[in-house]
Amino acid sequence: MFQVKHIRSLINSINRLYVRQRVCGFKVDVDKRNQTAKHSAPSNKANYSIVDHSYDAVVVGAGGAGLRAAYGLSNAGFKTAVITKLFPTRSHTVAAQGGINAALANMDDDKWQYHFYDTVKGSDWLGDQNAIHYMTEEAPKAVLELENIGMPFSRISDGRIYQRSFGGASLGYGKGGQAKRCAAVADRTGHSLLHTLYGESLKYDTDFFIEYFALDLIMKNGKCVGVTALCLEDGTIHRFAANNTVIATGGYGRTYFSCTSAHTCTGDGTAMATRAGIANEDMEFVQFHPTGIYGVGCLVTEGGRGEGGFLVNSKGERFMERYAPVAKDLASRDVVSRSMTIEINEGRGVGPKKDHIYLQLNHLPSELIKEKLPGISETVHIFAGVDVTKQPIPVLPTVHYNMGGIPTNWKGEVIVHQNGQDKVVEGLHACGEAACASVHGANRLGANSLLDIVIFGRACALNIANISKPGQAVEPLSADAGEVSVSNIDKLRNSKGTLKTSELRSKMQHIMQNHAAVFRDGPTLQEGCEKLSEAFKLQDQLKIDDKGLIWNTDLIETLELQNLMLNSMQTIFSAEARKESRGAHARDDFPIRLDEYDYSKPIEGQQAKPIEQHFRKHTLTEMNDIGKVHIKYRPVIDHTLDVQKVKTVEPELRKY
Amino acid sequence: MSISKGSNLFTKFSQLNFIQNTIRFTGISTNQNERPSGPRMKKFAIYRWNPEVPGEKPHLKEYEVDLNNCGKMVLDALIKIKNEQDSTLSFRRSCREGICGSCSMNINGTNTLACTCEIDENLNRKSKLYPLPHMFVIKDLVPDLTHFFAQYKSIEPYLKRKNDIQVGEQQFFQSVHDRAKLDGLYECILCACCSAGCPSYWWNMDKYLGPAVLLQSYRWIIDSRDEFTKERVEKFLDEFSVYRCHTIMNCTTVCPKGLNPGLAIAEIKKLMSGIWKFPKKDASIIPANIS
């Protein structure tokens, strides 16, 4: 029967240029994925429909970073495709609440150099200062650009953009008091940002491939030449050949049982890089946001504390005054999360089980809450049954952000570290939470992530426009490019295993939650590594009940689980290897930061330790051997882009 | 129309949202102390259709979930059913906190988000889950929203200025009063609950834009920084784009974010018919003080 979906596919096929449709009897290799495909008797006779495309640039992911890169590229004349497993406005950028940092100086005498200092300090001196320089200097321009394309920022009485106080922001290099640097749209900044970027991207002729699940990067001699993806709507496999690929797939919060992240935050890009042989950087640094709603994990913005709210223990004490005398509740997120965990561990938690903390906003004028915090008022009412104008909110530190990801330089080019040198991977860029530039180092400041995504999304587009031209010849893909991805799908669909995806996923999540939490220590981490390695092996026994190809969410969740496994292995193994406490990685057995000098004393007279003997270095993890994590290190970049504009911030003791 | 600081007629209806949630689930909610111990099995009847099974007709499949071991939202139950009983069940979901708009579906006759819709605790009633009404279904609870998004693109949902500017070099002035006009409009998450609940959209979805898209077009019409107000309104001067709205008001009743598309459409009609004059806009520019 002639159905509408047939008409639709026909129209889509005609509309897409450079499309070759062929039915391919792929040589399916049901063994390990990382080997080159060998001829073996196919396990079934089913043919997979393959569609080939050719573009100047392909962006994987359509959140804030992906959309900004995509329309930047289209604006520069590149024929651009965006592959996304979700409709763009469903990406998790939409859930960001607090705001976006920029030294606009609308409400105080802010300078971007102060923002630079705060970010470097926030990163616990693991951030690369050239990338941080780039981000903080470009920030005011980026935020004004967003406003110019229509983002509905909240306003102050003279018509300028409203900026609120936020964690870790100071004037005068930490000595001038709280800075109001976070430009905000009430408490729905991420929502407005994403909708504004999506609306703007509709002006350009970017081709959106919506609800296409990206499977793997196609590499040739160490160069990235394209991406394979599975179309959810009709089950066809699509291979995109491109001279430039940008990965902007977001983080992997779903490796943990309790997180503020969406169900779709499964680290697909970082896993794709791992499978392509590219090491990921700083995976052990997982940010626990201080205020996730107790039980559900939904986010309550730091803006609540920025507008005057504070955290309270069972004694009714505003305990942050003890842990961070200057910044109090607006200290850096890792400091606040640790303080809350200590309060709970020492018996001053609230509730019948004394296992969480209260965030008090009911002392604030209700007009202020209605105007500045309407979104969280609604969320907290729906999920915790609390009226914020009358009762405190039950909160707990919850997994929120991944500082680690695919390593890039300050221009967004993906790098590998060989023979002590950073080497650019040709044809590959990365931006957003999936990347590690590294602007956040060991801990991210609030409101710096929305900034990171637009700055580096734009940076990738600018760099691609610099290094290549629209219309350059794209080498056609070889006949067997992408075969391993299809083999994997085929193996899953025909698996005779007995283990459900949901069971293995739950197992992994509980291991991570129990063994790699806010406070970590050697024996717990080692046990976690062992348990997770066993769970990793269990992937061979996965089975899926849905054998179809159209909107097969069973298959998609299993592919996502494979990606989550790669991310969680790298996280816990690199946490075990880092024998110090820095930023968000806090260890009971190694409570001090181990730098090249002991910065608690004057440096004069001290001998700098060689890089093997300290930990002020980036971790690089790769998994070229199945199930094994190999760890290397790479130095932190301390020089800025221009010493005339801002000088390097030398490490010091980190106090708030 | 009086607009007070921080709220307008659009946001007053967000209070209605809280009431809606309560009305929707009038089960006899039993007191915690009086609840009998033991499993509380709730029946869910879920619309299923698999396009890959030749000749299969859509049907309702029943599942039972113990509410003692389940989160309180319908999405929690759906995920539990998928994880434990039937992994072939397909539905869209992402944020689980009511901000992404993925999980919109018809629950017990009303379009809403599964993640913010509480399970009706009355065990004598089945909860019926259908995909959004009058939409083509791709599979199970997944509707095809291609046309909906194409209509959204057609209203040009971006800021339009008469003169070219270099972006990033200045802030556009917008008074607090003008910014308040956007409250109740910019919060739309494009979940399509309103459009998929509008009978007029059901009968004329090819030409009538529907409440969600019209709410967004009004968001750009009254944004004081947008200079193409007249052109945006004049684009609707035909019989179908706006005028198929007959103030049925299902849209406002179901909006999970408490927005009021019906009112936005009325404002557009007032502008189109000339009852209202086009608002004077202050589109001045504040130079950036970036060093």
Side-chain angles (χ1 to χ4, degrees):
Chain A
M1 195 179 77
F2 204 45
Q3 294 178 19
V4 176
K5 68 172 183 185
H6 293 139
I7 305 175
R8 221 177 310 117
S9 325
L10 188 63
I11 295 173
N12 283 344
S13 317
I14 295 170
N15 280 344
R16 285 187 204 130
L17 301 175
Y18 305 110
V19 161
R20 271 190 355 258
Q21 183 118 23
R22 62 190 170 92
V23 171
C24 169
F26 254 170
K27 300 178 181 107
V28 172
D29 181 350
V30 297
D31 291 326
K32 293 175 192 173
R33 269 177 95 161
N34 282 340
Q35 297 172 356
T36 50
K38 294 194 203 99
H39 189 310
S40 60
S43 59
N44 64 27
K45 296 271 190 251
N47 286 328
Y48 288 87
S49 231
I50 313 291
V51 180
D52 281 346
H53 308 264
S54 181
Y55 281 91
D56 291 326
V58 164
V59 179
V60 185
L67 285 180
R68 183 62 190 84
Y71 84 70
L73 286 163
S74 295
N75 195 18
F78 289 86
K79 185 157 157 289
T80 311
V82 177
I83 303 171
T84 166
K85 69 179 180 182
L86 297 172
F87 183 76
T89 61
R90 318 293 189 210
S91 305
H92 204 50
T93 308
V94 82
Q97 296 171 351
I100 175 169
N101 276 337
L104 293 169
N106 280 346
M107 294 174 64
D108 54 25
D109 290 320
D110 202 3
K111 288 195 174 67
W112 68 263
Q113 286 89 346
Y114 301 156
H115 186 189
F116 172 80
Y117 171 82
D118 288 334
T119 306
V120 173
K121 179 179 172 186
S123 76
D124 218 346
W125 283 277
L126 202 69
D128 292 325
Q129 297 200 26
N130 58 353
I132 297 177
H133 173 172
Y134 181 70
M135 184 178 83
T136 49
E137 190 179 7
E138 295 287 309
K141 208 160 152 217
V143 170
L144 292 183
E145 184 182 318
L146 288 170
E147 195 274 327
N148 291 163
I149 62 173
M151 192 162 158
F153 283 104
S154 296
R155 301 284 169 161
I156 51 180
S157 53
D158 66 359
R160 291 176 199 260
I161 296 170
Y162 167 72
Q163 295 183 278
R164 57 159 57 114
S165 308
F166 227 66
S170 69
L171 298 167
Y173 305 106
K175 302 185 184 70
Q178 180 71 37
K180 285 183 185 299
R181 184 178 296 146
C182 172
V185 179
D187 60 351
R188 300 182 179 106
T189 316
H191 163 89
S192 325
L193 180 102
L194 191 59
H195 281 258
T196 307
L197 285 177
Y198 178 63
E200 180 73 9
S201 70
L202 293 175
K203 265 192 200 166
Y204 304 90
D205 62 352
T206 321
D207 282 342
F208 278 92
F209 290 87
I210 294 173
E211 293 180 344
Y212 280 64
F213 187 85
L215 298 166
D216 272 302
L217 297 172
I218 304 173
M219 306 294 283
K220 188 173 171 186
N221 304 327
K223 179 178 160 185
C224 180
V225 295
V227 185
T228 43
L230 168 69
C231 172
L232 258 64
E233 195 186 355
D234 58 14
T236 46
I237 305 287
H238 291 251
R239 307 190 312 169
F240 295 82
N243 287 332
N244 300 288
T245 304
V246 181
I247 301 181
T249 49
Y252 54 94
R254 282 283 153 174
T255 45
Y256 282 78
F257 176 67
S258 173
C259 57
T260 64
S261 313
H263 289 283
T264 45
C265 296
T266 51
D268 300 331
T270 33
M272 277 161 53
T274 303
R275 286 191 289 266
I278 297 168
N280 284 316
E281 185 177 73
D282 293 341
M283 297 289 273
E284 64 270 41
F285 296 104
V286 175
Q287 183 172 76
F288 285 76
H289 192 289
T291 52
I293 295 180
Y294 172 65
V296 205
C298 299
L299 180 69
V300 176
T301 177
E302 193 163 288
R305 287 170 281 141
E307 297 294 344
F310 47 79
L311 297 164
V312 157
N313 62 15
S314 59
K315 293 198 163 90
E317 184 199 354
R318 186 179 173 178
F319 59 86
M320 282 309 301
E321 288 175 342
R322 277 190 280 123
Y323 295 93
V326 178
K328 303 196 188 74
D329 300 82
L330 285 175
S332 203
R333 283 180 185 173
D334 54 330
V335 172
V336 183
S337 291
R338 278 195 289 275
S339 311
M340 288 167 77
T341 311
I342 293 173
E343 290 293 302
I344 294 170
N345 289 342
E346 291 182 354
R348 292 186 288 278
V350 301
K353 295 188 197 162
K354 293 187 180 301
D355 57 355
H356 56 279
I357 297 284
Y358 278 143
L359 171 64
Q360 192 173 296
L361 295 176
N362 42 314
H363 60 284
L364 298 172
S366 57
E367 274 300 313
L368 175 76
I369 298 180
K370 206 160 87 172
E371 193 185 328
K372 295 275 149 50
L373 301 168
I376 57 122
S377 307
E378 205 182 310
T379 307
V380 158
H381 177 93
I382 293 173
F383 290 97
V386 158
D387 178 352
V388 296
T389 55
K390 299 194 174 71
Q391 303 155 281
I393 309 169
V395 294
L396 194 63
T398 313
V399 169
H400 177 65
Y401 184 83
N402 302 104
M403 273 68 77
I406 304 172
T408 71
N409 57 23
W410 66 273
K411 296 184 237 175
E413 294 168 325
V414 171
I415 52 180
V416 286
H417 197 68
Q418 285 167 358
N419 306 323
Q421 296 289 331
D422 288 336
K423 183 169 159 292
V424 168
V425 175
E426 225 184 306
L428 192 59
H429 287 70
C431 53
E433 195 175 342
C436 185
S438 159
V439 283
H440 308 304
N443 171 68
R444 172 174 77 76
L445 290 185
N448 263 359
S449 179
L450 287 182
L451 179 62
D452 170 15
I453 63 183
V454 291
I455 297 275
F456 288 98
R458 180 169 159 271
C460 287
L462 290 175
N463 194 50
I464 291 174
N466 245 352
I467 62 173
S468 65
K469 285 193 181 43
Q472 266 173 346
V474 179
E475 212 182 301
L477 297 168
S478 60
D480 62 353
E483 222 170 275
V484 284
S485 319
V486 183
S487 288
N488 184 45
I489 292 178
D490 201 62
K491 177 178 142 210
L492 285 172
R493 287 172 72 214
N494 297 304
S495 162
K496 302 271 184 291
T498 49
L499 186 57
K500 280 198 218 182
T501 302
S502 55
E503 279 170 23
L504 186 56
R505 183 174 60 220
S506 179
K507 200 178 170 104
M508 170 199 70
Q509 287 173 337
H510 281 94
I511 294 171
M512 293 299 285
Q513 194 75 37
N514 294 332
H515 295 271
V518 176
F519 282 107
R520 304 162 171 182
D521 71 47
T524 323
L525 284 169
Q526 276 152 20
E527 195 188 337
C529 290
E530 281 162 32
K531 282 187 180 168
L532 197 62
S533 301
E534 280 165 28
F536 190 88
K537 291 196 193 87
L538 289 175
Q539 286 180 92
D540 291 330
Q541 296 174 30
L542 283 172
K543 65 145 175 170
I544 60 173
D545 291 324
D546 191 345
K547 310 287 185 204
L549 278 172
I550 296 180
W551 254 90
N552 184 345
T553 46
D554 201 0
L555 172 66
I556 298 296
E557 286 194 7
T558 312
L559 292 170
E560 286 174 340
L561 177 61
Q562 291 180 333
N563 293 339
L564 284 172
M565 276 291 186
L566 289 173
N567 283 292
S568 55
M569 286 285 280
Q570 292 177 57
T571 302
I572 204 166
F573 274 87
S574 50
E576 199 279 322
R578 181 170 284 266
K579 294 179 168 44
E580 64 152 1
S581 288
R582 182 184 298 266
H585 174 69
R587 281 184 67 153
D588 289 328
D589 49 349
F590 293 97
I592 301 174
R593 205 176 72 190
L594 287 171
D595 302 312
E596 67 276 29
Y597 294 110
D598 180 354
Y599 286 101
S600 63
K601 306 185 179 84
I603 312 179
E604 287 82 33
Q606 287 195 47
Q607 186 87 338
K609 292 197 191 102
I611 196 169
E612 301 82 28
Q613 289 178 26
H614 69 85
F615 275 103
R616 200 163 79 84
K617 53 194 181 184
H618 294 295
T619 315
L620 289 171
T621 43
E622 51 191 22
M623 292 184 72
N624 291 330
D625 296 327
I626 305 290
K628 297 230 181 323
V629 180
H630 291 288
I631 298 179
K632 291 190 313 204
Y633 292 93
R634 174 183 160 248
V636 172
I637 297 175
D638 286 323
H639 60 83
T640 62
L641 289 176
D642 184 346
V643 290
Q644 301 296 327
K645 293 191 179 170
V646 72
K647 291 196 175 47
T648 300
V649 179
E650 299 294 338
E652 56 191 44
L653 279 188
R654 187 162 168 261
K655 280 201 175 67
Y656 282 100
Chain B
M1 184 171 81
S2 66
I3 301 175
S4 59
K5 178 178 165 187
S7 83
N8 52 26
L9 282 173
F10 294 96
T11 53
K12 284 200 169 75
F13 283 93
S14 60
Q15 288 170 2
L16 189 61
N17 189 38
F18 300 153
I19 304 169
Q20 284 164 27
N21 274 325
T22 325
I23 291 172
R24 203 175 293 138
F25 310 109
T26 44
I28 302 164
S29 68
T30 49
N31 194 311
Q32 196 75 20
N33 297 329
E34 295 162 13
R35 205 170 274 160
S37 58
R40 288 186 297 138
M41 304 307 286
K42 172 82 182 177
K43 284 204 180 73
F44 287 88
I46 304 180
Y47 180 102
R48 303 296 309 272
W49 179 64
N50 187 348
E52 288 176 284
V53 174
E56 176 172 294
K57 288 202 164 56
H59 56 279
L60 285 179
K61 193 157 174 201
E62 273 189 29
Y63 303 92
E64 276 202 322
V65 172
D66 181 3
L67 295 184
N68 288 333
N69 297 331
C70 185
K72 64 176 183 173
M73 302 299 182
V74 172
L75 184 65
D76 295 323
L78 276 169
I79 291 174
K80 193 172 160 71
I81 292 168
K82 186 176 175 67
N83 284 346
E84 295 173 9
Q85 297 179 41
D86 186 352
S87 61
T88 65
L89 175 62
S90 292
F91 49 91
R92 288 196 177 107
R93 86 285 179 260
S94 185
C95 73
R96 62 90 168 88
E97 59 186 77
I99 191 68
C100 73
S102 302
C103 59
S104 47
M105 57 183 73
N106 188 289
I107 300 175
N108 294 324
T110 306
N111 291 347
T112 186
L113 301 173
C115 61
T116 53
C117 174
E118 289 183 19
I119 302 172
D120 176 8
E121 299 215 330
N122 183 337
L123 303 178
N124 297 320
R125 282 206 284 250
K126 268 186 249 185
S127 268
K128 294 203 187 116
L129 271 53
Y130 280 82
L132 289 175
H134 213 270
M135 295 281 174
F136 290 116
V137 174
I138 302 176
K139 182 181 175 184
D140 294 342
L141 297 168
V142 180
D144 186 348
L145 295 172
T146 317
H147 181 66
F148 175 78
F149 291 124
Q151 286 176 317
Y152 178 62
K153 182 173 174 173
S154 73
I155 55 128
E156 296 179 321
Y158 40 81
L159 195 67
K160 294 172 76 172
R161 303 277 293 190
K162 297 279 182 193
N163 303 318
D164 276 338
I165 45 136
Q166 187 66 14
V167 284
E169 305 288 320
Q170 64 277 302
Q171 299 183 49
F172 291 142
F173 171 88
Q174 185 170 57
S175 69
V176 174
H177 177 90
D178 281 336
R179 170 60 183 79
K181 291 183 189 166
L182 294 176
D183 289 331
L185 301 173
Y186 81 93
E187 300 94 323
C188 173
I189 59 176
L190 298 176
C191 65
C193 285
C194 55
S195 294
C198 173
S200 216
Y201 190 70
W202 296 341
W203 314 144
N204 292 299
M205 76 162 61
D206 52 339
K207 289 187 284 208
Y208 172 47
L209 290 174
V213 169
L214 289 170
L215 181 86
Q216 285 307 295
S217 71
Y218 186 62
R219 175 251 178 279
W220 292 104
I221 287 170
I222 51 116
D223 191 331
S224 64
R225 302 167 295 173
D226 185 270
E227 293 176 320
F228 277 68
T229 317
K230 207 147 164 285
E231 290 84 345
R232 287 184 189 271
V233 172
E234 280 170 2
K235 200 169 163 202
F236 295 146
L237 285 169
D238 61 56
E239 290 138 13
F240 279 89
S241 303
V242 172
Y243 282 115
R244 283 311 94 196
C245 170
H246 300 301
T247 58
I248 298 169
M249 297 299 269
N250 264 4
C251 50
T252 305
T253 311
V254 301
C255 178
K257 305 300 284 180
L259 307 181
N260 195 342
L263 180 60
I265 299 174
E267 303 295 351
I268 299 176
K269 285 178 185 169
K270 282 196 243 176
L271 285 170
M272 286 171 69
S273 59
I275 294 176
W276 245 36
K277 297 242 182 324
F278 286 104
K280 269 206 172 61
K281 289 187 173 180
D282 184 344
S284 50
I285 290 173
I286 307 172
N289 57 339
I290 310 168
S291 51

